[in-house]
Amino acid sequence: MGSKVGEFRKKLKIVDVKGGPNEGLDRVGLMIVVAGWVRTLRAQSSVTFIEVNDGSCLSNMQCVMTSDAEGYDQVKSGLITTGASIWIQGNVVPSQGSKQKVELKVNKIVLVGKSDPSYPIQKKRVSREFLRTKAHLRPRTNTFGAVARVRNALAYATHKFFQENGFIWISSPIITASDCEGAGEQFCVTTLIPSSREAAESPVDAIPKTKDGLIDWSQDFFEKPAFLTVSGQLNAETYATALSNVYTFGPTFRAENSNTSRHLAEFWMIEPELAFADLKDDMACATAYLQLYSCMQVRYILDNCKEDMDFFNTWIEKGIIDRLSTVAERDFVQLSYTDAIELLIKAKKKFEFLVKWGCDLQSEHERYLTEEAFGGCPVIVSDYPKEIKAFYMRQNDDGRTVAAMDMLVPRIGELIGGSQREERLEYLEGRLDELKLNRDSYWWYLDLRHYGSVPHAGFGLGFERLVQFATGVENIRDAIPFPRTPGSVEF
Amino acid sequence: MGSKVGEFRKKLKIVDVKGGPNEGLDRVGLMIVVAGWVRTLRAQSSVTFIEVNDGSCLSNMQCVMTSDAEGYDQVKSGLITTGASIWIQGNVVPSQGSKQKVELKVNKIVLVGKSDPSYPIQKKRVSREFLRTKAHLRPRTNTFGAVARVRNALAYATHKFFQENGFIWISSPIITASDCEGAGEQFCVTTLIPSSREAAESPVDAIPKTKDGLIDWSQDFFEKPAFLTVSGQLNAETYATALSNVYTFGPTFRAENSNTSRHLAEFWMIEPELAFADLKDDMACATAYLQLYSCMQVRYILDNCKEDMDFFNTWIEKGIIDRLSTVAERDFVQLSYTDAIELLIKAKKKFEFLVKWGCDLQSEHERYLTEEAFGGCPVIVSDYPKEIKAFYMRQNDDGRTVAAMDMLVPRIGELIGGSQREERLEYLEGRLDELKLNRDSYWWYLDLRHYGSVPHAGFGLGFERLVQFATGVENIRDAIPFPRTPGSVEF
């Protein structure tokens, strides 16, 4: 009792040995311990090679063992197979092989946990479709390990960018009674259906009803219908109009029944909101954010994520490093929606969806603009027709467009969507009425215009799209650990 | 078209002027622009004082104006009232007052948005209960502005701590079909009830049913019952057993019908998970995290959050700075559950809940241990009876306790709860069976023990409790921007 708990020390990981600029040569001569999972084992007549990975980096540690190593009998007996977890002590030595600078000469090996022969991730290449059914094991592969590390780097860089620029992170609510986009497609959150084990066998009749046969919401947890948020923006506005600059970074949801490689039912969004700011400030912020990002990606190549990015460049999307460099270095193109439409109409390309003023831009149009019309440079399209944009966007003086902007990037299309918000009470109320949205449900949002309203602007960025953009993975389901899509809620 | 979007530059905030070590004296002589919200206005015969706040710090900028300032007519006409937003240009001058080192001599003032006389946050003190009904405006008060800034600092410090120690942030799923704690109390997520505007008027009969009258889950979005997660731990384990050290930081949910000052239906959790680690490593990590935190808090007093912490120390909880210093500097006490029970039985204090071996510790017991028995030092209690802990905790050799630990801190009680996880397949399966939990629903969790199982451990920390701990706010509803509790889902 009363004893010191002991100091927390990071245990040595493979990245600590091999991650340095000379790939571990400065560690030669050290006796170290490596703990991880066996990727492959090759037994030759006098020597056995084990590739061990601990997920701290893409690289395995090649462990070289002769029969005099302690614990060699476990190797000999065939217990140490792909997927098994082991603990190895050995000396860092220069490698004879060409694939790495250093390897580990094993003194002692301990089998920590064996791997059942049914282990589904053997050396042979497995499809990403198959791996989605093994989402609990896929981070043990090169691709998904690298995606996880780059995703992490992008998240941290996001926080760093906003924190260093004076933004305050706020958590917008996940469960909400309001509908930010006014578009429906929300998941209902309820306790009227009993939880977990009983739900599957639950009769419809057990749901409380009023004497008119309607769902009796007064008996629900929140005593009224509640939903999963589709955006934290409206809530972020309340904090921006108090603290000046804020951002959210949290999960958002769409109950959209679209089974595409671009949509998730649950995804993470980054939503900065700037007070005393207009659309130009908004664009400048989005540009700075993305360029900083890309710069960081490029710098990472000479730093932490080098291996992972080289891996993507080689195996997932050739040229991705160049593409990111372009984003980091070039001035972004900016043009109005009206000019963009003109450009698309004049384009020699055949589009599936017809283009005319007033139409929403489809992915094919967005990609044409950034990939072909402007040769891989990100494009910011602004001032969209008000009919195709949300109620809260600020009306331009022309009466038919709003101060909205979308940032389009190669391969992804729309990565960022933002706008200046309507700060004028009468315009905002007018727009709600036009769209038959109930003013009363937006009372607190309207209050922001009653009490010290200010010009303000912000944008939303789908984090998984950014992960796709930075890694080249084609299907958005591979950009998040546990994707949720129609019919799919496993794990 | 094609023009440069322009450079993103942070606009000058009040913190940039007054936040430095000499509270703005180095800015004297500069002409600056301040944009924010009026806190108070005092008109004297020849001079008017306006206190402006922009949320970048606790401090207002005192603006001093005479009748020759441009825009003075707006002041005179009474349009500039508490809550109005204004834009002021002026010169930084040394202040005559004792409350600040510098003030702004106004050249020009622009009323940006007036404030309706009904503005509910006037100078007179308003109760925190009342402010909860104005959650969209409360960040404009001193207390809630300070809470937001400290909450932000804590979140960023969390990311920094884990990132700098080689942990990878992963997003565990929010919508899930599994029940981590096996305890029920989950919110159901469904599209069987139509969204938003239609939900309120929706008949029970419209919910699809099977011919047996059961809810027809095959027609739901996920084709089976789905819930909001109560913890990301099981998912985090899948990534820890691939990448070694990971952490989650995201929202979690409990549909617990408890209307207390300690519970939220929606709250943020931090859940690190360490592979090749035991309970001791887990405790060391939790200690390092909290001590780093507290150190940062203390350092913040000499840095960014100084003002906010002084404010809490004066107005919310006297002595909070000392309390945090204690946490930062003292070795934490560690004792077993069995010893803790003995200590509680011997205590001269009368508890509401009887103490005996096997009982769960109540908040009163936890607070007695940390506040009285060990004089304000955090206490780690370990090795709890298995009956009161979750199925996934590792069984100790005594057969009746598990390798669990709770960290107790003054005023809060349990801040952190963690454990070593059961990595032995047969023990884990046995425990699931004992608790009548269905092995099949945990197939992927069991897989981690089939394929290269490793000792691993982790903990969960309720972020809002940490905010309470660091700021002294008594009700957890004041530690999150938009609290969700039974019957309350406004905003």
Side-chain angles (χ1 to χ4, degrees):
Chain A
M1 208 192 312
S3 72
K4 185 163 181 175
V5 170
E7 206 184 315
F8 172 64
R9 250 177 318 187
K10 211 176 82 168
K11 293 182 184 176
L12 198 70
K13 299 290 173 204
I14 293 173
V15 71
D16 301 319
V17 180
K18 295 181 70 178
N22 57 10
E23 296 171 44
L25 283 174
D26 54 325
R27 309 289 182 169
V28 166
L30 286 184
M31 160 91 76
I32 63 165
V33 165
V34 164
W37 293 266
V38 174
R39 284 289 172 89
T40 59
L41 182 145
R42 280 178 298 130
Q44 295 182 351
S45 56
S46 62
V47 63
T48 300
F49 295 92
I50 303 181
E51 297 274 344
V52 185
N53 188 281
D54 67 5
S56 66
C57 57
L58 189 81
S59 270
N60 303 322
M61 179 63 85
Q62 172 157 294
C63 303
V64 187
M65 197 177 344
T66 48
S67 57
D68 56 345
E70 197 183 325
Y72 181 74
D73 50 319
Q74 290 173 312
V75 178
K76 216 176 158 191
S77 67
L79 282 172
I80 294 177
T81 59
T82 298
S85 52
I86 56 173
W87 183 101
I88 285 183
Q89 192 187 55
N91 286 89
V92 180
V93 297
S95 175
Q96 307 299 313
S98 61
K99 289 171 74 181
Q100 62 273 315
K101 290 267 170 41
V102 297
E103 59 193 24
L104 206 62
K105 189 174 173 338
V106 180
N107 299 119
K108 185 178 173 184
I109 180 168
V110 176
L111 173 63
V112 177
K114 61 188 169 52
S115 179
D116 192 89
S118 62
Y119 188 56
I121 306 175
Q122 302 291 341
K123 201 178 155 56
K124 64 180 189 309
R125 279 185 85 168
V126 284
S127 77
R128 272 179 241 157
E129 287 71 24
F130 173 75
L131 285 174
R132 267 172 233 143
T133 69
K134 306 285 177 196
H136 61 311
L137 299 174
R138 66 179 183 170
R140 301 184 188 189
T141 64
N142 281 338
T143 301
F144 288 94
V147 169
R149 285 184 298 271
V150 171
R151 183 179 162 98
N152 171 63
L154 291 169
Y156 191 46
T158 296
H159 286 295
K160 270 177 94 86
F161 172 80
F162 287 112
Q163 296 286 339
E164 287 169 8
N165 284 289
F167 286 70
I168 287 175
W169 174 73
I170 64 147
S171 43
S172 48
I174 310 301
I175 305 175
T176 178
S178 36
D179 178 6
C180 173
E181 302 287 334
E185 302 195 320
Q186 291 182 292
F187 289 99
C188 182
V189 174
T190 180
T191 54
L192 294 177
I193 297 167
S195 80
S196 248
R197 280 172 275 176
E198 299 84 37
E201 307 270 288
S202 194
V204 170
D205 272 351
I207 295 171
K209 59 180 127 185
T210 65
K211 57 182 191 310
D212 302 328
L214 302 181
I215 297 171
D216 184 2
W217 292 105
S218 73
Q219 296 194 45
D220 203 358
F221 189 90
F222 296 111
E223 296 165 23
K224 59 154 107 174
F227 304 93
L228 290 181
T229 186
V230 297
S231 157
Q233 179 203 313
L234 305 194
N235 298 89
E237 285 183 52
T238 71
Y239 269 67
T241 54
L243 306 176
S244 294
N245 290 342
V246 302
Y247 70 109
T248 72
F249 187 174
T252 51
F253 306 85
R254 296 281 154 87
E256 214 174 336
N257 210 337
S258 49
N259 246 317
T260 78
S261 62
R262 292 168 44 84
H263 292 91
L264 291 168
E266 172 181 316
F267 55 100
W268 286 68
M269 279 248 277
I270 296 156
E271 297 185 283
E273 190 72 30
L274 298 77
F276 295 99
D278 61 16
L279 192 66
K280 272 214 161 58
D281 297 314
D282 202 34
M283 289 180 193
C285 180
T287 305
Y289 170 78
L290 203 66
Q291 290 207 321
L292 179 75
Y293 248 147
S294 312
C295 291
M296 289 195 67
Q297 288 309 320
V298 173
R299 239 188 291 132
Y300 256 53
I301 289 155
L302 310 166
D303 203 5
N304 296 22
C305 283
K306 174 175 174 19
E307 268 191 340
D308 291 324
M309 291 308 301
D310 283 345
F311 173 82
F312 291 125
N313 206 38
T314 310
W315 296 103
I316 307 290
E317 183 193 336
K318 286 205 198 318
I320 190 168
I321 290 174
D322 284 346
R323 178 158 66 69
L324 290 170
S325 307
T326 303
V327 173
E329 286 152 24
R330 283 180 60 177
D331 290 342
F332 290 9
V333 173
Q334 195 226 317
L335 77 172
S336 71
Y337 169 87
T338 303
D339 288 343
I341 291 292
E342 211 166 293
L343 225 151
L344 288 164
I345 288 172
K346 284 196 198 133
K348 295 210 175 65
K349 190 162 178 126
K350 259 228 155 350
F351 294 112
E352 191 188 338
F353 293 89
L354 195 75
V355 177
K356 62 171 187 183
W357 201 96
C359 77
D360 211 351
L361 295 186
Q362 302 294 324
S363 186
E364 56 174 346
H365 308 136
E366 294 172 340
R367 292 187 58 176
Y368 171 81
L369 289 170
T370 171
E371 291 173 8
E372 300 183 44
F374 296 103
C377 185
V379 174
I380 303 177
V381 179
S382 66
D383 302 296
Y384 284 78
K386 68 176 180 179
E387 280 72 21
I388 59 171
K389 289 290 181 183
F391 75 90
Y392 51 72
M393 298 190 181
R394 192 179 197 276
Q395 287 184 56
N396 288 328
D397 293 341
D398 63 15
R400 53 183 213 150
T401 62
V402 287
M405 65 104 179
D406 282 357
M407 188 182 286
L408 319 176
V409 297
R411 295 200 49 145
I412 305 293
E414 183 198 327
L415 179 64
I416 287 175
S419 68
Q420 185 171 343
R421 320 308 187 185
E422 186 56 83
E423 89 280 13
R424 298 162 298 182
L425 183 62
E426 60 284 12
Y427 283 84
L428 187 57
E429 288 180 334
R431 199 73 188 115
L432 285 173
D433 294 347
E434 268 172 44
L435 295 166
K436 297 194 171 52
L437 293 165
N438 187 350
R439 283 190 193 191
D440 291 345
S441 10
Y442 294 95
W443 70 271
W444 53 272
Y445 189 67
L446 294 170
D447 261 9
L448 303 182
R449 282 75 182 168
H450 276 291
Y451 306 122
S453 191
V454 297
H456 61 292
F459 63 84
L461 174 143
F463 185 57
E464 283 70 26
R465 293 228 175 133
L466 183 73
V467 174
Q468 286 187 280
F469 178 63
T471 63
V473 299
E474 275 177 36
N475 195 312
I476 200 164
R477 295 168 202 211
D478 299 332
I480 189 168
F482 300 95
R484 269 71 181 104
T485 53
S488 173
V489 69
E490 195 61 85
F491 307 106
Chain B
M1 208 192 314
S3 73
K4 186 163 182 176
V5 170
E7 207 183 314
F8 171 65
R9 249 176 318 185
K10 209 176 83 168
K11 293 183 185 177
L12 197 70
K13 299 291 173 203
I14 293 174
V15 71
D16 301 320
V17 180
K18 296 181 68 177
N22 56 13
E23 296 172 43
L25 284 175
D26 54 326
R27 310 289 183 171
V28 166
L30 285 184
M31 160 93 75
I32 63 165
V33 165
V34 164
W37 292 266
V38 175
R39 285 288 174 89
T40 61
L41 182 145
R42 279 179 298 131
Q44 296 182 351
S45 56
S46 63
V47 63
T48 301
F49 295 91
I50 304 180
E51 297 274 342
V52 184
N53 189 282
D54 68 4
S56 65
C57 57
L58 188 81
S59 269
N60 303 321
M61 178 64 84
Q62 173 159 293
C63 302
V64 186
M65 196 176 346
T66 48
S67 57
D68 56 345
E70 197 182 328
Y72 181 73
D73 50 319
Q74 290 174 312
V75 178
K76 216 177 159 192
S77 67
L79 283 172
I80 295 178
T81 58
T82 298
S85 51
I86 56 173
W87 183 101
I88 285 183
Q89 192 187 54
N91 285 89
V92 181
V93 297
S95 176
Q96 307 299 314
S98 61
K99 288 171 75 182
Q100 62 272 316
K101 291 265 170 43
V102 298
E103 58 192 26
L104 206 62
K105 188 171 175 342
V106 179
N107 299 119
K108 184 177 173 185
I109 180 168
V110 177
L111 172 63
V112 178
K114 61 187 170 50
S115 179
D116 192 89
S118 63
Y119 188 56
I121 306 176
Q122 301 292 340
K123 201 177 156 57
K124 65 180 189 308
R125 279 184 86 168
V126 282
S127 77
R128 273 179 239 154
E129 287 70 25
F130 173 74
L131 286 174
R132 267 172 232 142
T133 70
K134 307 285 177 197
H136 60 311
L137 298 174
R138 66 179 183 171
R140 300 185 188 188
T141 64
N142 282 338
T143 302
F144 288 93
V147 169
R149 285 184 297 271
V150 172
R151 184 180 161 99
N152 171 63
L154 291 169
Y156 191 46
T158 297
H159 286 295
K160 271 178 92 86
F161 172 78
F162 288 112
Q163 295 287 338
E164 287 169 8
N165 284 289
F167 286 70
I168 288 174
W169 174 74
I170 64 147
S171 44
S172 48
I174 310 302
I175 306 174
T176 177
S178 36
D179 178 6
C180 173
E181 302 287 334
E185 302 193 321
Q186 291 181 295
F187 288 100
C188 183
V189 173
T190 179
T191 54
L192 294 178
I193 297 167
S195 79
S196 248
R197 280 173 273 175
E198 299 86 38
E201 307 271 288
S202 194
V204 170
D205 271 351
I207 295 172
K209 59 180 126 185
T210 64
K211 58 182 190 313
D212 303 326
L214 303 181
I215 297 171
D216 184 1
W217 292 105
S218 73
Q219 296 193 45
D220 203 358
F221 189 90
F222 295 112
E223 297 165 24
K224 60 154 106 176
F227 304 93
L228 290 181
T229 187
V230 296
S231 157
Q233 178 202 315
L234 305 194
N235 298 88
E237 286 184 51
T238 70
Y239 269 66
T241 53
L243 306 176
S244 293
N245 290 343
V246 302
Y247 71 109
T248 73
F249 188 173
T252 52
F253 307 84
R254 296 281 154 86
E256 215 174 334
N257 209 337
S258 48
N259 246 318
T260 78
S261 62
R262 292 167 45 82
H263 291 93
L264 291 168
E266 172 181 316
F267 55 101
W268 286 67
M269 280 247 277
I270 295 155
E271 297 185 283
E273 190 73 31
L274 298 77
F276 294 100
D278 60 17
L279 191 66
K280 272 212 161 60
D281 297 313
D282 202 33
M283 290 180 194
C285 180
T287 305
Y289 170 78
L290 202 65
Q291 290 207 319
L292 179 75
Y293 248 147
S294 313
C295 291
M296 290 193 67
Q297 289 308 320
V298 173
R299 240 188 290 131
Y300 256 53
I301 289 156
L302 310 166
D303 203 6
N304 295 21
C305 283
K306 174 174 173 19
E307 267 192 340
D308 293 323
M309 291 308 302
D310 282 344
F311 173 83
F312 290 124
N313 207 38
T314 309
W315 296 103
I316 307 291
E317 183 194 337
K318 286 206 197 318
I320 191 169
I321 290 174
D322 284 347
R323 177 160 66 69
L324 290 170
S325 306
T326 303
V327 173
E329 285 151 26
R330 283 181 61 178
D331 289 342
F332 290 9
V333 173
Q334 196 226 317
L335 78 172
S336 71
Y337 168 88
T338 303
D339 289 343
I341 290 292
E342 212 166 290
L343 225 151
L344 288 164
I345 287 172
K346 284 195 198 133
K348 295 208 176 65
K349 191 164 179 124
K350 261 229 155 345
F351 294 112
E352 191 188 338
F353 293 90
L354 196 75
V355 177
K356 63 171 186 181
W357 202 96
C359 77
D360 212 350
L361 296 186
Q362 301 295 323
S363 185
E364 55 173 347
H365 309 136
E366 293 171 342
R367 291 188 58 176
Y368 171 81
L369 289 171
T370 171
E371 291 172 8
E372 301 184 43
F374 297 103
C377 184
V379 174
I380 304 177
V381 179
S382 65
D383 303 296
Y384 284 77
K386 69 176 179 179
E387 280 72 22
I388 58 172
K389 288 291 180 183
F391 74 89
Y392 50 72
M393 298 192 181
R394 193 180 197 274
Q395 289 184 56
N396 288 327
D397 292 342
D398 63 16
R400 53 183 213 150
T401 63
V402 287
M405 65 104 177
D406 281 358
M407 188 182 286
L408 318 176
V409 298
R411 296 199 50 145
I412 304 294
E414 183 197 326
L415 179 64
I416 287 175
S419 69
Q420 186 171 343
R421 320 308 187 185
E422 185 57 82
E423 89 281 14
R424 297 162 299 183
L425 183 62
E426 60 283 11
Y427 283 83
L428 186 58
E429 289 181 333
R431 200 71 189 115
L432 285 173
D433 295 347
E434 270 172 44
L435 295 166
K436 299 195 170 50
L437 293 164
N438 187 351
R439 283 190 193 191
D440 292 346
S441 10
Y442 293 95
W443 68 271
W444 53 272
Y445 189 66
L446 295 170
D447 260 8
L448 303 182
R449 282 74 182 168
H450 275 291
Y451 306 121
S453 191
V454 297
H456 60 293
F459 63 83
L461 174 142
F463 185 57
E464 283 70 25
R465 294 227 175 133
L466 185 72
V467 173
Q468 287 186 279
F469 179 64
T471 63
V473 299
E474 274 177 36
N475 195 314
I476 200 164
R477 295 169 202 209
D478 299 332
I480 189 168
F482 300 94
R484 269 71 182 103
T485 52
S488 173
V489 69
E490 194 61 85
F491 309 104

